[in-house]
Amino acid sequence: MSSQDILKNATTLASYNVLIQVMFRVLTFLLNAFTLRFVSKELIGVVNVRLTLLYSTLVFLSREAFRRACLSGESGPNHSWRQVINLLWLTVPLGVIWAVLLGCVWLWFLEAPDPQTIPYYSPAVVLFALSGVQELLAEPLWVLAQAHMFVRLKVVAESLAMIAKCSVTVVLVVFTRQWGLYIFSAAHLVYTGFIVLCYSVYFIHFLGSDEAAKKNFPLHRVADLLPQRTEGKPLIDWSLARLTWSFFKQSFLKQILTEGERYVMTFLNVLSFGDQGVYDIVNNLGSMVARFIFLPIEESFYIFFAKVLKRGHDIKSQKQEEVAIAAEVLECLLKLVLVIGLIITVFGYAYSHLALDIYGGSLLSSGTGPSLLRCYSCYVLLLAVNGITECFVFAAMSQEEVDKYNLVMLALSVSFLLLSYMLTWWAGGVGFILANCLNMGLRILHSLRYIHHYFQFSQWKPLRGLLPSPLLLLVLAVSAGITAASEAVLCCDGGWLLRLVHIAVGGVCLLLVFGAVLLTETQLIQFVRTQLLPRYRKKHT
């Protein structure tokens, strides 16, 4: 497959992933707004912070390293898919081990919520751990689908799973509110069960079909999806296993950085369950764009960079055409996420209070919620840049460089936990966001240094993507001043008419920003139109 074909597939995957994440965030957004009217913020804090942390930790530590290794260039034509699948099935017993270990910690070492206000905590821990193990049953199928760009499968599976989860939650919250944590445990089991079911049904029908033969799919029978030994070959590819181990050490540290504030809240009790609930709701609101735009782009283009670039090789030892495409794509992606991040930062400051007031009423807008969301809008800019830079770095690093980077991640993890603890005592929930900003900035600096060194003696300078046009910066600065003044004068105690005027002011400023982007960022606009918009690309290919 040529680099152009890989780019086309990666951008298609990114587009569909964005659509999935948009739907997920919108449904979660509406679901949280609904449940806020029926359950306490303490219950939301336990579910969205403590139990979700158990699930995400279990799943991440069990599969992240396998995904990165098996989707990288190292699992290309020199590797047998039979051995790759055998390796991927190790995620299930590993998940069981993590479920037992983490379940014991969550049950016996953490402070249990008051059973009168938050009932059924112990069964909920078991059920959330079980849902994580259940999802791992689909891991070999997920990697197969990603490697062969079955983008519609992911869209359908995750869409149906999320719709089922939301439906179960709404019905149980309305009719069986007394079930407490059982409601959210059952909904999560339904979600992971639907994912496994959809992937299984698809591959049962796909294997052995004419479509599979036409695509030269490496597997032919349903039995090929199960672990088997191949005569004359080891059960697994040990070079790929070593790469997985390197990524595993890194993923453990990355999980601490990704979910660090939840670990501090869970293990150090710096915030009450109610404050944790408010923080999590604001965190979900602030991270909506990061999750449904930046994360899908990062996941999809990691596959692109990993397939186009030879891991651990310098530029001179690679095909210059493919390096040129990778450099151009990296520059455009950096410009894209930077522009989106700047827009979120500018408008997030002036509209945080109004957004929280509309979403959750005085429960969210009267306390520290607006300050949290304003800080988070600045953090989103760092998230955007870091996602793309690390996406490239992890695809280009050799195994030895990955091992060295693990030491950097260790230092960042320790510093982040210390900063989170100290800043939270000083500034409450805002301290978590400040600690995240500091650590994210250090990660970005490390990645920028690697990318600069990688392209240092070449004609390509992809880091120019971090330099927006002066006109765009000027329009953003003016918009920041106008919207901040509008909030001070019009929002948010003067009734809905003044609020609508405040929203209209922001709309006009946003249109001016879009106009500046269209006038000055022509290369970015062309990249978005031809690569990230499926309908347009189909007409011009």
Side-chain angles (χ1 to χ4, degrees):
M1 186 181 292
S2 69
S3 56
Q4 288 288 355
D5 291 333
I6 295 173
L7 174 58
K8 185 186 298 183
N9 288 333
T11 51
T12 301
L13 182 59
S15 302
Y16 281 112
N17 280 347
V18 167
L19 293 176
I20 293 174
Q21 293 299 324
V22 168
M23 188 200 72
F24 277 20
R25 292 308 108 193
V26 170
L27 287 175
T28 304
F29 178 86
L30 296 175
L31 183 64
N32 284 337
F34 175 81
T35 54
L36 274 172
R37 272 68 180 175
F38 289 88
V39 300
S40 66
K41 61 182 181 181
E42 287 77 14
L43 184 64
I44 292 177
V46 172
V47 173
N48 290 356
V49 176
R50 181 172 290 192
L51 295 179
T52 301
L53 180 64
L54 168 63
Y55 161 80
S56 64
T57 302
L58 188 160
V59 170
F60 191 92
L61 294 181
S62 300
R63 74 185 183 190
E64 177 67 12
F66 292 87
R67 285 185 172 186
R68 286 199 173 273
C70 295
L71 288 174
S72 71
E74 298 301 305
S75 59
N78 295 329
H79 292 263
S80 164
W81 270 107
R82 173 74 274 140
Q83 293 176 312
V84 171
I85 289 175
N86 290 343
L87 180 65
L88 287 169
W89 274 110
L90 293 178
T91 58
V92 177
L94 183 60
V96 172
I97 294 173
W98 280 119
V100 173
L101 293 176
L102 295 173
C104 291
V105 172
W106 258 247
L107 288 173
W108 299 328
F109 291 93
L110 297 180
E111 177 187 358
D114 181 5
Q116 299 299 322
T117 57
I118 306 173
Y120 311 118
Y121 171 73
S122 297
V125 169
V126 175
L127 292 175
F128 265 79
L130 180 61
S131 69
V133 175
Q134 179 175 253
E135 186 172 345
L136 294 174
L137 295 173
E139 192 59 23
L141 310 183
W142 187 94
V143 171
L144 277 170
Q146 288 290 104
H148 293 86
M149 301 295 180
F150 293 170
V151 292
R152 289 182 179 84
L153 171 58
K154 183 175 182 180
V155 172
V156 172
E158 298 191 10
S159 300
L160 290 176
M162 179 55 71
I163 292 171
K165 175 183 176 180
C166 291
S167 301
V168 170
T169 303
V170 168
V171 172
L172 294 182
V173 163
V174 172
F175 295 104
T176 58
R177 204 179 314 170
Q178 70 277 8
W179 285 10
L181 293 176
Y182 274 131
I183 295 172
F184 301 94
S185 303
H188 212 73
L189 279 169
V190 169
Y191 171 77
T192 57
F194 259 84
I195 288 179
V196 175
L197 178 64
C198 289
Y199 276 91
S200 301
V201 169
Y202 178 86
F203 275 99
I204 288 172
H205 284 83
F206 177 76
L207 292 178
S209 66
D210 294 337
E211 183 183 0
K214 183 179 179 180
K215 292 183 177 181
N216 294 320
F217 197 72
L219 307 180
H220 307 287
R221 301 172 301 152
V222 175
D224 293 337
L225 297 172
L226 301 175
Q228 299 174 18
R229 180 179 293 277
T230 303
E231 292 187 12
K233 290 186 178 181
L235 186 64
I236 61 174
D237 188 314
W238 289 104
S239 63
L240 203 58
R242 286 191 292 272
L243 181 61
T244 302
W245 173 243
S246 297
F247 277 124
F248 176 78
K249 291 182 288 185
Q250 184 188 101
S251 65
F252 186 81
L253 300 173
K254 186 177 180 180
Q255 175 67 3
I256 295 178
L257 288 173
T258 303
E259 302 279 11
E261 68 270 16
R262 295 176 187 266
Y263 287 114
V264 173
M265 283 188 280
T266 299
F267 287 92
L268 300 180
N269 297 319
V270 292
L271 296 176
S272 66
F273 287 122
D275 290 337
Q276 290 180 28
V278 173
Y279 176 86
D280 184 74
I281 292 169
V282 172
N283 180 64
N284 284 333
L285 285 173
S287 64
M288 280 183 69
V289 175
R291 291 175 184 271
F292 68 62
I293 293 181
F294 300 141
L295 183 59
I297 290 176
E298 177 188 348
E299 290 179 346
S300 301
F301 281 93
Y302 170 77
I303 298 174
F304 165 73
F305 289 128
K307 288 182 177 293
V308 168
L309 301 175
K310 294 181 180 178
R311 181 181 294 278
H313 291 66
D314 59 23
I315 286 181
K316 295 180 180 179
S317 61
Q318 306 200 44
K319 294 181 180 179
Q320 297 304 293
E321 177 187 355
E322 296 187 342
V323 174
I325 293 175
E328 180 182 355
V329 169
L330 177 59
E331 180 179 350
C332 291
L333 289 176
L334 287 174
K335 181 65 66 67
L336 175 64
V337 299
L338 181 70
V339 169
I340 297 174
L342 286 172
I343 292 173
I344 293 170
T345 299
V346 167
F347 290 92
Y349 180 87
Y351 289 89
S352 293
H353 188 282
L354 178 60
L356 290 176
D357 193 57
I358 295 173
Y359 183 64
S362 59
L363 175 68
L364 298 180
S365 63
S366 61
T368 60
S371 298
L372 287 170
L373 193 54
R374 288 189 181 105
C375 292
Y376 208 98
S377 65
C378 298
Y379 175 54
V380 166
L381 175 60
L382 298 176
L383 271 177
V385 175
N386 179 74
I388 297 302
T389 53
E390 284 196 348
C391 162
F392 178 88
V393 169
F394 289 156
M397 277 182 172
S398 65
Q399 181 177 336
E400 292 74 19
E401 289 172 323
V402 171
D403 290 333
K404 290 180 181 178
Y405 187 65
N406 289 336
L407 299 176
V408 176
M409 296 285 278
L410 176 61
L412 289 173
S413 301
V414 173
S415 66
F416 172 75
L417 294 176
L418 292 175
L419 281 171
S420 296
Y421 183 72
M422 292 186 295
L423 291 176
T424 303
W425 282 115
W426 170 62
V430 173
F432 282 123
I433 302 175
L434 294 177
N436 271 311
C437 288
L438 291 173
N439 275 273
M440 197 62 67
L442 292 175
R443 288 169 66 177
I444 291 172
L445 288 176
H446 180 275
S447 298
L448 293 181
R449 181 173 175 271
Y450 181 92
I451 294 171
H452 173 73
H453 179 75
Y454 190 86
F455 291 99
Q456 185 174 9
F457 300 107
S458 72
Q459 58 182 310
W460 301 289
K461 307 297 179 185
L463 294 183
R464 289 179 301 187
L466 294 175
L467 300 174
S469 67
L471 176 61
L472 177 58
L473 291 177
L474 176 62
V475 174
L476 284 168
V478 172
S479 298
I482 293 174
T483 53
S486 174
E487 181 188 34
V489 174
L490 302 173
C491 193
C492 290
D493 300 320
W496 273 104
L497 181 59
L498 292 179
R499 293 184 182 188
L500 291 175
V501 175
H502 178 49
I503 294 172
V505 170
V508 172
C509 291
L510 187 59
L511 288 176
L512 292 175
V513 172
F514 286 155
V517 173
L518 291 172
L519 287 174
T520 61
E521 304 294 350
T522 54
Q523 182 184 5
L524 173 62
I525 298 302
Q526 181 68 11
F527 176 78
V528 172
R529 292 173 67 187
T530 58
Q531 301 298 337
L532 294 179
L533 298 179
R535 291 183 180 179
Y536 182 92
R537 187 173 62 249
K538 288 178 181 178
K539 294 179 181 178
H540 292 78
T541 54

